[in-house]
Amino acid sequence: MQTKIFILFTFLCTLSFNLAEAQTSGIKKSAGWPIIENQMKPWTRWWWMGNAVNHKDLELALQQYSRSGFGGVEITPIYGAVGFENKYINFLSPEWISAIHFTVTKANSMRMGVDMNTGTGWPFGGPQVKPENAATKLITRKFILNAGERLNEPILVKEDGQELAKLEVLTAYGGSREVLNLLTLVQANKALNWSPTSGSWEIYAAFAGKTNQKVKRAAPGGEGFTLDHLDKNSVNVYLKRFTDAFGKRHQGVRAFFNDSYEVYGATWTPTFLAHFQKTRGYKLENYIRELLDSGNNDNTRDTVARLKSDYRETMDELLLENFTQNWTNWAHSLKSLTKNQSHGSPGNLLDLYGAVDIPETEIFGSSYFPIVGLRRDSGDIRNVDPDPIMSKFASSAAHTGGKALTSSETFTWLTEHFKTSFSQCKPEVEQLFLSGVNHIFYHGTTYSPSDIPWPGWLFYASVEMNPNNSLWPHAKGLNDYIARCQSILQSGKPDNELLIYWPIYDIWNNSNGMDMALKVHDVDKWLHPTSFYKLSKQLSKIGYSFDFASDRLLWKTRVNNKLLNTSENGTAYKTLIVPECEMINPETLDKIIGLAYNGATVIFQQLPKDVPGLSDLEARRRRLNSSLSKLTFKSSAAGFKQYVTGKGIIFLGKDIEGILNFNKIKREPLVDSGLEFIRRQIASGKYYYLVNHSSKLIDTTLSLNEKGHITILDPQTGIIGTAAKKENKVRIQINSGQTLFLRVEKRPKPIATSWVYLDKAEKAIPLNKQWILHFTKGGPELPPDQTLNTLRSWTDSGDPKSIAFAGTGVYSSVFNIESKSAQEYVLDLGTVNESARVWINGQEVGIIWSIPFQVRIGKFLIPGENTIKIEVVNLMANRIRDMDIKKIKWKNYHEINFVNINYKDFDASTWTVMPSGLTGPVSITPYY
């Protein structure tokens, strides 16, 4: 029986793997929306606290997630709740493997997928990581010896917990630029058998020590040292525990996940010196003093920066080859994929993202959007602004590599706990879609047994997307919107015309520090000041679409019919842009020139000036200068220079937009209206995703680069209709905070209905008759019914039960429509705290879950008296506030326990009561 079950697991997940490999090209389409598959729905990170899971509650949770529109779960075991230790399950134990098998079986039966973290908490590590395989750092000591003196102490590390530290370098520097390697003169007792004969010498000892970092937020059975990601043998030791626990067989897991690289102080690995000498061509041992130099000396700053660039490039290679590619190959051997957050790594992010099957970015904190009515309370936000350009590193790796999916960890610390509305989620997820992300993962959902009192088990940093959230009854509204968007954003191919080179060596050529972790939280240091970033922002603002390219990617790029092809299934780009940069490898420059020779159009904002690193420096400079000297540019009347080579051309000039116009590479002028966009290319034409994050209604005609029949698709309601066109321009009405898709086709599918534009508005009909408010679900207690002549927050009743309540209230009323003669009627709910579901005359209109809380209702109305029922759910905040005022214990977890948005002890007792329910005014506007 067990063998049969395992064969079923293997079949299901081999099918999942093959579907992903097929790049979703086989998605069936109707005349409207693509058929929604589980991969198109939002998924969620599923925290298993203490691994204290049981089959009954696993199945119940998956059923709830499935009904609410989730497409899958990503299991990450984490620390547990206090008092439930006897229910903990050790990670990767037979009981834990059984829980995974059960989860995969039940999830697949509900057409859901399962991913899992290749570890617990973060970063990778655990009990299998013995000290010799743990994250390693370079530890140094400095000694001074004068002529005739001997070192009077053994050469040992003076730091606790470094018993395994191994002396790897002992280099002496004399006053006349002499450099001596003294390592072979160290005796077994660690004494140095050497004395200088003249002068004063600085002696640097470098040891391979241990960071002693342990897994953060580890689950039971996952505790231990952090892995040495730079060492292949250590990575293999780490993965062997999984291989053994899995019996070397596929587990039904679609993809293995790795969180952002948060390996602190890991500056070394035992193979570093050998790899450095092999790839850089000289011995790092001779430059240990420069490696430790802060670069403050003008005379040595250039040498120090170059050395550290070589050091960082070596870190990049070790991480890419020994961890990322190695881990991905391991996952493929189990017929699973990899999903990796490469940001934070000390390497080239584009290559690290590109080495996995699903590159994943993350957004941390919240953005400012001028959307009318959108709440953004200063006390409830992290001082972090997510940057769409940062997200494009992951999507660029997917697009250039021909990968179908770019995922994102979404909504981490979007607001303070229990205060996040769906309206606040919507523009954040749309900003991700605009940056090329098309596979959303919520952060997150905590598994909580059904017998745990409200609010259940919770993770300390999540937007609580779980059934205990009072917003949960309306989660399907947000989930369906994301699924509709992703059904299109996962179809076809990305349609970006520009490829922009990322000059990583300008970043690495920095004399400060050692390793350089490129973190999401540090973009002000390594990204924002660069010409690359400023150019990307400028091109995006004026309506161009682009992806980023690394040196490695350019080496693989080919030219076909003047288009740049970065991979077999990747996007074809019209031009390559090299932004202003100081340094470039001569091999990369020659490759770029070769691309132009073979027919590509290349634009240099400014020619590079130098080569990076120290290796064979003068010879490489000569090669670079030789290549540059052959670029005999001629000035043009347009103010830029050009050089024709072979079948292609190279341009040089600051006016990138002017050069693009000269080459008839058109921007999308639709951005002049205030809209943002992203395009997808499909067999019949193109999709445009249009987003209005401005503060105004945009009612205009747009000129699109793609011509053809245009269909409008509203992802929030599912409404579809043929667009009105005049003189090759399409009419668009899109409110502040709303989005639309345009499908542009040469040979359109038949759409029976035309899009109804809201033009001539008659006087709004106020729904100001008496409302009955009845509470149906929530707690701590259901408040009594309220009769309302004027809509107001239900907390304003003065009733303590209403003030403390989190849950669902239903408003009922009647209204009159004298004659149903208008072309369309729009229901405006006014202010809703926080989401509404509407019925008119007993027919469900839908979930109206986001600003501006308006919906078309003409088809539901009848002449005369009509009934309306509006179900409203509020936030959890007031109930949590009440619990903290009453000192009801609900926060009781190991490790970090539960903290607020500023990582202080959480206490809601001082919060102001948040408005709840329908405050309106509610009206219906006829449009003729």
Side-chain angles (χ1 to χ4, degrees):
M1 180 64 177
Q2 192 173 15
T3 302
K4 290 181 180 178
I5 292 174
F6 189 82
I7 290 172
L8 175 62
F9 289 147
T10 303
F11 169 76
L12 288 171
C13 293
T14 301
L15 177 61
S16 169
F17 181 85
N18 291 338
L19 285 173
E21 288 292 285
Q23 305 295 313
T24 69
S25 59
I27 296 169
K28 295 179 180 178
K29 306 285 182 71
S30 67
W33 296 95
I35 295 171
I36 306 294
E37 299 177 350
N38 70 2
Q39 194 163 263
M40 299 170 178
K41 299 176 183 179
W43 290 34
T44 188
R45 187 172 301 177
W46 199 15
W47 305 107
W48 280 12
M49 301 199 79
N51 291 316
V53 298
N54 64 74
H55 288 188
K56 177 179 74 71
D57 286 315
L58 286 171
E59 182 173 7
L60 174 62
L62 289 169
Q63 289 171 344
Q64 292 171 315
Y65 305 160
S66 178
R67 286 195 297 267
S68 291
F70 285 79
V73 292
E74 172 197 284
I75 297 167
T76 295
I78 207 76
Y79 58 84
V82 174
F84 295 87
E85 291 79 4
N86 63 339
K87 295 186 178 181
Y88 290 177
I89 301 172
N90 274 342
F91 182 57
L92 294 181
S93 66
E95 190 177 359
W96 194 91
I97 296 295
S98 173
I100 282 287
H101 288 176
F102 181 85
T103 299
V104 169
T105 302
K106 290 300 179 183
N108 287 345
S109 72
M110 302 172 198
R111 302 186 65 81
M112 295 176 68
V114 178
D115 290 353
M116 67 166 276
N117 193 325
T118 323
T120 78
W122 61 87
F124 283 178
Q128 73 270 42
V129 179
K130 305 307 178 188
E132 58 269 25
N133 301 124
T136 305
K137 67 178 181 179
L138 189 68
I139 303 174
T140 60
R141 290 188 66 189
K142 178 181 176 182
F143 307 93
I144 302 290
L145 278 184
N146 295 313
E149 293 179 346
R150 286 187 174 272
L151 203 59
N152 58 8
E153 61 175 303
I155 302 176
L156 298 171
V157 171
K158 286 194 171 182
E159 182 180 318
D160 292 340
Q162 295 296 340
E163 292 78 15
L164 291 180
K166 180 183 177 183
L167 179 65
E168 294 202 341
V169 177
L170 190 67
T171 305
Y173 297 86
S176 300
R177 296 188 177 180
E178 303 114 314
V179 179
L180 297 178
N181 188 333
L182 305 180
L183 187 63
T184 59
L185 301 178
V186 178
Q187 299 176 319
N189 63 357
K190 306 304 179 184
L192 174 61
N193 184 21
W194 179 78
S195 174
T197 57
S198 63
S200 179
W201 292 71
E202 293 180 347
I203 302 174
Y204 287 83
F207 304 83
K210 296 298 170 182
T211 68
N212 291 322
Q213 180 186 356
K214 294 191 175 181
V215 178
K216 195 174 181 179
R217 321 293 186 226
E223 307 93 337
F225 287 115
T226 294
L227 169 68
D228 181 355
H229 291 66
L230 306 179
D231 180 60
K232 187 172 185 178
N233 178 65
S234 296
V235 173
N236 290 341
V237 167
Y238 178 77
L239 295 175
K240 185 176 183 300
R241 183 188 181 202
F242 292 85
T243 306
D244 292 345
F246 296 160
K248 301 181 180 180
R249 295 174 294 190
H250 182 43
Q251 300 300 296
V253 172
R254 181 197 68 156
F256 290 102
F257 167 70
N258 180 38
D259 211 334
S260 54
Y261 187 92
E262 297 181 36
V263 186
Y264 304 122
T267 56
W268 202 252
T269 194
T271 60
F272 200 100
L273 290 174
H275 188 89
F276 187 96
Q277 183 172 357
K278 178 182 177 182
T279 55
R280 307 284 83 79
Y282 64 98
K283 290 187 176 183
L284 182 58
E285 296 95 312
N286 296 336
Y287 291 88
I288 289 296
R289 179 171 64 178
E290 288 78 5
L291 186 61
L292 302 176
D293 195 310
S294 61
N296 293 327
N297 188 325
D298 291 342
N299 295 325
T300 60
R301 184 178 294 116
D302 182 65
T303 298
V304 170
R306 289 179 175 280
L307 174 76
K308 291 185 178 182
S309 179
D310 283 342
Y311 163 79
R312 289 158 185 153
E313 187 171 10
T314 305
M315 290 279 286
D316 164 72
E317 292 165 350
L318 291 168
L319 183 60
L320 176 65
E321 297 166 14
N322 295 340
F323 172 70
T324 312
Q325 292 174 345
N326 190 19
W327 171 59
T328 296
N329 291 338
W330 168 83
H332 289 178
S333 74
L334 294 173
K335 298 199 182 319
S336 293
L337 307 173
T338 49
K339 183 160 60 73
N340 190 48
Q341 294 185 1
S342 299
H343 46 272
S345 301
N348 191 315
L349 300 187
L350 292 173
D351 296 325
L352 294 167
Y353 280 128
V356 299
D357 300 297
I358 306 174
E360 177 163 305
T361 187
E362 71 171 285
I363 52 170
F364 188 100
S366 64
S367 308
Y368 166 72
F369 300 98
I371 296 169
V372 177
L374 185 64
R375 184 176 67 246
R376 193 167 194 253
D377 300 330
S378 60
D380 296 332
I381 60 175
R382 293 278 295 174
N383 189 25
V384 178
D385 292 322
D387 193 322
I389 297 295
M390 179 70 226
S391 296
K392 284 188 72 67
F393 280 82
S395 63
S396 292
H399 296 167
T400 57
K403 303 173 193 296
L405 302 174
T406 305
S407 60
S408 176
E409 173 191 314
T410 312
F411 308 144
T412 306
W413 284 126
L414 180 55
T415 73
E416 181 58 273
H417 286 290
F418 315 116
K419 291 186 177 182
T420 305
S421 68
F422 293 152
S423 284
Q424 291 166 310
C425 294
K426 184 173 182 283
E428 296 287 356
V429 79
E430 290 163 354
Q431 188 165 258
L432 285 168
F433 288 155
L434 290 168
S435 68
V437 170
N438 60 2
H439 191 23
I440 294 298
F441 281 76
Y442 294 144
H443 186 284
T445 302
T446 309
Y447 165 92
S448 186
S450 54
D451 58 355
I452 301 297
W454 193 92
W457 289 349
L458 300 174
F459 182 67
Y460 77 93
S462 293
V463 172
E464 311 297 345
M465 290 288 186
N466 67 66
N468 284 317
N469 192 325
S470 50
L471 297 178
W472 184 260
H474 293 184
K476 198 170 189 302
L478 171 62
N479 290 344
D480 284 354
Y481 170 74
I482 291 174
R484 288 193 189 105
C485 289
Q486 292 188 161
S487 72
I488 291 176
L489 296 174
Q490 290 179 19
S491 64
K493 288 185 177 183
D495 186 43
N496 299 333
E497 61 268 16
L498 309 179
L499 190 63
I500 303 178
Y501 170 67
W502 183 38
I504 183 69
Y505 291 103
D506 280 7
I507 298 170
W508 282 342
N509 192 69
N510 188 317
S511 60
N512 294 320
M514 285 184 56
D515 65 316
M516 186 176 284
L518 303 180
K519 301 176 183 177
V520 169
H521 307 320
D522 292 344
V523 288
D524 283 338
K525 298 177 182 177
W526 65 267
L527 179 59
H528 291 169
T530 64
S531 298
F532 162 82
Y533 178 79
K534 294 168 186 174
L535 176 63
S536 299
K537 290 286 286 185
Q538 174 199 351
L539 291 172
S540 178
K541 185 177 181 180
I542 62 177
Y544 284 103
S545 300
F546 49 83
D547 287 312
F548 305 144
S550 68
D551 292 72
R552 288 187 182 96
L553 183 77
L554 290 181
W555 298 339
K556 297 187 297 184
T557 299
R558 300 291 179 266
V559 181
N560 185 16
N561 293 326
K562 296 187 176 297
L563 297 177
L564 293 149
N565 295 105
T566 55
S567 66
E568 184 178 349
N569 296 312
T571 300
Y573 300 92
K574 295 180 180 179
T575 191
L576 169 65
I577 300 177
V578 181
E580 180 180 337
C581 63
E582 290 292 317
M583 296 187 167
I584 196 168
N585 264 328
E587 297 85 358
T588 300
L589 177 64
D590 288 345
K591 174 63 180 181
I592 292 171
I593 296 171
L595 291 172
Y597 183 84
N598 288 316
T601 299
V602 175
I603 304 172
F604 280 90
Q605 194 175 27
Q606 175 182 295
L607 292 177
K609 299 180 177 65
D610 207 345
V611 298
L614 277 178
S615 176
D616 205 12
L617 180 56
E618 293 309 318
R620 289 168 56 244
R621 278 175 168 163
R622 287 192 296 272
R623 178 177 173 182
L624 180 75
N625 290 330
S626 174
S627 297
L628 290 173
S629 68
K630 296 174 184 176
L631 302 178
T632 52
F633 289 97
K634 294 182 179 180
S635 297
S636 72
F640 48 79
K641 298 179 179 180
Q642 59 189 53
Y643 168 69
V644 177
T645 174
K647 300 176 183 178
I649 189 167
I650 299 175
F651 292 89
L652 175 63
K654 298 284 189 180
D655 183 11
I656 302 298
E657 183 180 359
I659 298 173
L660 291 171
N661 286 334
F662 178 82
N663 285 280
K664 297 181 173 55
I665 301 174
K666 298 179 181 179
R667 72 186 187 97
E668 288 284 1
L670 67 87
V671 298
D672 298 339
S673 68
L675 292 173
E676 298 173 85
F677 77 98
I678 192 170
R679 292 187 308 259
R680 299 288 295 190
Q681 184 175 2
I682 54 175
S684 60
K686 292 183 182 179
Y687 278 111
Y688 284 74
Y689 177 55
L690 304 180
V691 178
N692 182 6
H693 282 165
S694 76
S695 60
K696 62 183 180 181
L697 165 70
I698 296 176
D699 187 343
T700 188
T701 57
L702 301 177
S703 178
L704 306 178
N705 287 347
E706 184 75 3
K707 307 302 179 184
H709 180 274
I710 300 177
T711 304
I712 298 176
L713 304 91
D714 181 353
Q716 197 152 355
T717 63
I719 297 174
I720 300 173
T722 300
K725 287 180 62 180
K726 185 177 182 181
E727 296 178 353
N728 253 343
K729 291 187 176 183
V730 59
R731 170 106 186 266
I732 290 296
Q733 286 180 328
I734 183 166
N735 219 328
S736 173
Q738 290 188 323
T739 64
L740 291 175
F741 281 96
L742 304 182
R743 187 172 63 223
V744 187
E745 301 169 287
K746 303 297 183 186
R747 297 177 180 175
K749 301 176 178 69
I751 299 293
T753 58
S754 296
W755 186 261
V756 176
Y757 294 89
L758 305 177
D759 286 329
K760 186 180 178 183
E762 292 294 306
K763 184 179 179 181
I765 303 166
L767 273 62
N768 53 11
K769 293 187 177 181
Q770 194 176 74
W771 293 86
I772 303 299
L773 170 58
H774 173 64
F775 296 93
T776 60
K777 183 180 179 182
E781 298 178 75
L782 292 180
D785 290 356
Q786 296 181 22
T787 300
L788 304 169
N789 294 318
T790 301
L791 290 170
R792 65 188 183 189
S793 170
W794 68 50
T795 61
D796 291 343
S797 68
D799 174 45
K801 292 181 181 179
S802 300
I803 293 172
F805 181 72
T808 305
V810 178
Y811 296 78
S812 301
S813 187
V814 296
F815 61 92
N816 289 314
I817 297 291
E818 290 184 5
S819 63
K820 189 184 172 184
S821 55
Q823 185 181 25
E824 184 58 275
Y825 295 81
V826 174
L827 173 67
D828 186 341
L829 298 180
T831 301
V832 178
N833 303 296
E834 298 291 334
S835 177
R837 188 193 300 255
V838 177
W839 292 260
I840 291 179
N841 297 321
Q843 297 183 72
E844 183 173 352
V845 175
I847 301 172
I848 319 303
W849 53 272
S850 180
I851 290 171
F853 296 110
Q854 296 173 356
V855 65
R856 301 181 182 208
I857 59 169
K859 65 182 179 181
F860 301 101
L861 298 176
I862 58 174
E865 185 175 86
N866 293 255
T867 64
I868 184 169
K869 182 172 74 171
I870 306 173
E871 175 188 271
V872 178
V873 291
N874 72 333
L875 299 170
M876 302 169 73
N878 292 343
R879 186 172 177 182
I880 292 292
R881 171 183 176 272
D882 180 68
M883 293 177 75
D884 279 357
I885 288 173
K886 294 174 180 176
K887 301 191 182 303
I888 298 171
K889 190 172 184 179
W890 61 272
K891 310 178 288 280
N892 199 19
Y893 306 105
H894 288 289
E895 227 218 67
I896 196 172
N897 195 10
F898 203 82
V899 294
N900 67 15
I901 200 167
N902 296 311
Y903 284 76
K904 307 294 184 183
D905 289 343
F906 184 92
D907 180 10
S909 64
T910 61
W911 285 1
T912 301
V913 174
M914 297 201 67
S916 299
L918 180 65
T919 58
V922 180
S923 64
I924 297 173
T925 301
Y927 287 88
Y928 288 87

